[in-house]
């Protein structure tokens, strides 16, 4: 497993990758995950990165669940019931 966000991988970063997370405001945390927020490429902390991924997964699941319901229209169900 890659360890790019630990030890030797972050020594080249300013302050060894530590700073203030622009999303949650925590100070002196590792800000190593690049994400696009409000059209800007920013570096956020691990917790915010996981939160954004979880939100994206929930939205994808909701969209997937809504897609089959949108495919079946009321007109199609009445035609099937009459046949």
């Amino acid at each position: 497993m890659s360890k790019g966000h630990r030890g030797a991988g972050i020594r080249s970063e300013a302050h060894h990758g530590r700073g203030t997370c622009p999303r949650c405001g925590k100070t002196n945390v590792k800000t190593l995950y690049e994400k696009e927020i409000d059209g800007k490429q920013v570096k956020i902390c691990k917790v915010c990165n996981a939160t954004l991924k979880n939100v994206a997964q929930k939205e994808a699941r909701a969209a997937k669940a809504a897609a089959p319901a949108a495919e079946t229209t009321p007109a199609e169900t009445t035609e099937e019931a009459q046949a």
Side-chain angles (χ1 to χ4, degrees), residues 10 12 28 70:
I10 63 171
S12 62
N28 202 25

Side-chain angles (χ1 to χ4, degrees):
M1 182 181 214
S2 175
K3 297 178 183 173
H5 295 141
R6 298 196 235 164
I10 63 171
R11 286 192 187 125
S12 62
E13 299 282 328
H15 304 288
H16 295 275
R18 292 192 174 267
T20 303
C21 179
R23 187 169 181 274
C24 64
K26 288 183 184 176
T27 58
N28 202 25
V29 294
K30 291 181 188 174
T31 54
L32 302 170
Y33 303 88
E34 289 190 8
K35 290 287 182 177
E36 186 173 326
I37 299 175
D38 297 331
K40 295 180 187 176
Q41 197 73 6
V42 295
K43 289 190 173 189
I44 59 175
C45 67
K46 183 178 182 177
V47 175
C48 291
N49 186 44
T51 302
L52 291 174
K53 282 186 177 182
N54 288 335
V55 168
Q57 279 184 335
K58 285 181 182 178
E59 289 174 355
R61 285 186 195 138
K64 189 175 181 181
E71 290 176 5
T72 307
T73 62
E76 291 175 357
T77 53
T78 41
E79 290 175 3
E80 291 172 1
Q82 291 174 356

